Amino acid sequence: MGDCCAIMNCHCMEFYSENEQCHPMCHHISICQSRKLLQGPVTDKFYEEHVNYLTTFVNDSKDGFYVNDLLHLNRVLEMLSKRLETTPAYLTNISPTVCRKMIQVNAINFLLLRLVPEIGASPKVLNKFAESKEFSDQLNKTCAILTNLVESLRDLDKNTLEKFTPDPELMWIVRYVLRRIVACQSNKQCRNNLMDFLLLCLDIFPCIHLVECNLFDDMAFLTVATELDTSNTWAEDIEFVNDDYDILFKKMLLTSLCFIRKYETLHMLFENRNVIAGLLTIISPEYQYDWHHDTHESMKKYALIALYNIVPRSMNNFVGCNGSQSLLISIQTYIMDPSECNREILEKSLKCLTKFTETKYEPLLDNIRKFGGISILTLLCNNILQKSVITSYDQQTLIYSFCILGKLYSKYSLPKDTSIILITKYLNRVLKPKREDSYIDARAVICVIDFLWEIIRYDHDKLMMFMKMEGVYLLLDVIQTSPFPVQVIGLGCLIDLCDESLCIPYLLTWRGGENKKQIFFSLLAHIFRTECKKIETSLDENDIIINTEYPLMGKLQYNETMSLNKDTNSSPALLDLFGSARPKVYALLQLLKVRYKDKVELTNEHYRICSMPVTVKDRVTLHLAENFFALKLAEAWKELSRDLANSNITPVYVDERMLNILREKMQKWNENVQQEQQEILNSESRKEAHEESKLYSKLKKCRLRQAIDALRELRYFAKISDTMFRLAQKQRQQKEIEESLVLPVDSKCNMHRTYMDQIDVTSIFHLKYNLIYN
């Protein structure tokens, strides 16, 4: 038998090597030979040789006809079903390449067809077979093979995956098997394996046919079977118990609901099955089922994740079930008991409310207001800000809370003073964090400023209150010390603040930076300069324009504009304005120097702010920022001319002449801005040179020689008349003498001290004495 197998192997491999692709006739010969061989006694040696041959053949071949025949042979030869079922499982574990060869010959559809023992059998026979151990073993092995096959398709593109999607007719078989095996509660492991395969199909295939065969309907029904009434249905006898298999199956059912994004009409099915009501029952504190406490908390998390994906398409059903009340109760539970478990539930509840309120669905906002959502979220934020240590999780909670409050405020008015006090309290915490606080999350600061922006836009009283509480100073300090994204949002908020002229004195009297020497205009110049450096514009070290063709164009915008593949329907010059602080700096300068110029001058005179002028570099930058709009218009007109040329469109004479005039005018504007910037720098240089020459002239006119002689004379008089001066000089002289008499450490000679009052000689002027020591 081994010789026959070897002959068959050699014959097939020779045929494959000659034709570079296995021919169906070769597979027919192989199958015939296999059937003859299998008629005899089957030994372990034969089985081992058969598998080794099969592994080599399939791994080297370019198709999978032999595998398909092997699977078909498995149906014919029941006596060898166990071993031949193991063979495909072994092949699928070799490599993803082998799995794809099997899929190319329709192996998935064939295996799905094998899930039932006989098509057309009576329900009694099928139920009896579903409860048998033979069916359990067969289903487990089949699911393992299917899982390996589908997993090998994960890296393929969408179009290729659509070719390998299982046929919709076969998904009816899967639905039938799922119903049978769920009703037969003895094979829970088989049920979970089949559910695992379905989840894998939902994850990998772009659109698998689960809705057409009503399989998703059964899955949605089973998801809430323990929460809703299932009497007079096919699942009325189903009961989940508190064991690992049922808990895992329940979690997989909840996970399957998250794939609603792949099906447009699935939300209608969920509404008919009251899926949202069942999920809200799971997260309710009054929910009573024979689950363990930890299991129930885990189920809540899965239910909230499912709601996060389902509700945006079924908002009306969610509001009708008072879903916002259930989520707010979860938040209240954390406020009363801030435990670790409740904290995870709080995070997912806030995440759901944040996504739901982004739709701005008015009945939902009314529902949240009705159940006290504003006061609950405000209390939650206050509790966090009163903590001695604010963790990263607390900041995440503040992000969600302020996002929700911002959406609510666009329709409702918050309680008096609550919102402004909450905002100022947080800004103070950002500016003066405690030592144990975690790093300030910029996203939380952005959400708070955005919430403030919503308030001042709708409520004038809140704006006045914010200014009276010196909130403008806090906001400017936050803008100065925060990263660039916070500065962009903060400057946008300041523009709306400046619409009220009462805010202008706060801007002009603000002092920041080291030693509080930075004024508001210097802050604007710094932000403008920093962004220009970040996008790599053509400016020199003094912020003077280098390239007059594109003075404000960054490197990325330049590459997009000059690209040959540029989309003519897009405008990089306009896209550059999104998420940029430069247009906001321009808007603030226009408000302060054009619209409210008189009030700015009155404020300068009253507070004498001109005593702290801006530096010359800031003046050059601010002059560039004041012409930002004109320079951007120049970019837009040049971009339009280039798009017309690339599209081979020739404008009519009048339009072309007008376009050329605009381009020339804008080019001259760019050159004038460059000259004015240079003139500012030159005037400052001339001013410094003039001040220096004035100093030298003043020094030249002074009588320095006479002043030095007078100082020397004063020093002489002090020497001979002032007692303290003479004592100080004597002390200094004595100190120098003592220092001179100190012998160096490394010196080998001896030194004797000789004093003038002890020497036996007469001192004569300019006479030196040599002392000889014996």
Side-chain angles (χ1 to χ4, degrees), residues 683-725:
S683 63
E684 186 66 22
S685 300
R686 289 194 298 267
K687 184 179 177 181
E688 291 178 357
H690 180 67
E691 294 292 335
E692 186 178 0
S693 63
K694 281 179 63 178
L695 176 62
Y696 290 144
S697 299
K698 187 176 180 179
L699 294 175
K700 186 177 181 181
K701 292 178 182 179
C702 296
R703 299 179 178 180
L704 295 180
R705 185 175 296 279
Q706 292 85 343
I708 292 174
D709 293 340
L711 286 174
R712 288 175 178 172
E713 189 173 356
L714 287 174
R715 182 181 180 85
Y716 173 74
F717 284 128
K719 245 184 209 183
I720 62 177
S721 60
D722 192 355
T723 306
M724 293 300 296
F725 185 85

Side-chain angles (χ1 to χ4, degrees), residues 249-433:
F249 184 63
K250 182 78 172 179
K251 290 180 179 179
M252 287 193 290
L253 289 171
L254 290 170
T255 304
S256 66
L257 301 180
C258 300
F259 292 94
I260 186 176
R261 63 183 182 274
K262 290 189 175 183
Y263 304 94
E264 296 293 335
T265 60
L266 201 57
H267 64 281
M268 300 177 61
L269 185 149
F270 289 165
E271 291 179 5
N272 295 333
R273 286 298 186 185
N274 294 325
V275 172
I276 292 180
L279 295 175
L280 294 174
T281 304
I282 295 176
I283 66 174
S284 174
E286 292 81 15
Y287 177 65
Q288 294 182 356
Y289 193 77
D290 192 19
W291 298 117
H292 189 268
H293 178 266
D294 295 339
T295 302
H296 182 208
E297 296 299 328
S298 178
M299 291 295 179
K300 280 185 179 181
K301 299 172 189 176
Y302 279 87
L304 287 169
I305 295 173
L307 284 172
Y308 181 83
N309 290 277
I310 294 174
V311 171
R313 294 189 180 183
S314 303
M315 196 67 70
N316 191 25
N317 190 13
F318 179 76
V319 174
C321 298
N322 292 329
S324 56
Q325 182 183 16
S326 300
L327 297 177
L328 292 173
I329 289 174
S330 300
I331 299 174
Q332 279 184 316
T333 304
Y334 174 79
I335 295 175
M336 294 183 292
D337 179 22
S339 61
E340 183 71 21
C341 184
N342 291 335
R343 188 183 71 178
E344 297 179 5
I345 302 298
L346 169 71
E347 180 183 2
K348 289 181 170 52
S349 299
L350 288 173
K351 190 175 181 181
C352 288
L353 280 177
T354 303
K355 185 171 183 179
F356 302 161
T357 52
E358 285 177 355
T359 60
K360 296 184 179 180
Y361 187 60
E362 293 187 3
L364 174 66
L365 301 179
D366 293 335
N367 204 253
I368 296 175
R369 171 73 180 216
K370 175 183 175 182
F371 294 112
I374 295 176
S375 58
I376 292 173
L377 293 172
T378 305
L379 178 61
L380 176 64
C381 294
N382 277 320
N383 290 348
I384 292 175
L385 294 177
Q386 289 173 0
K387 287 184 176 181
S388 58
V389 178
I390 296 181
T391 62
S392 58
Y393 170 78
D394 293 330
Q395 294 191 60
Q396 188 68 33
T397 304
L398 289 173
I399 290 173
Y400 289 135
S401 301
F402 281 114
C403 285
I404 299 169
L405 288 173
K407 299 299 186 299
L408 292 175
Y409 194 83
S410 61
K411 182 173 175 58
Y412 305 113
S413 177
L414 295 179
K416 188 177 181 180
D417 299 344
T418 302
S419 57
I420 297 299
I421 294 174
L422 190 64
I423 291 171
T424 54
K425 186 184 296 185
Y426 179 79
L427 293 180
N428 276 308
R429 191 65 178 263
V430 171
L431 294 172
K432 299 177 181 178

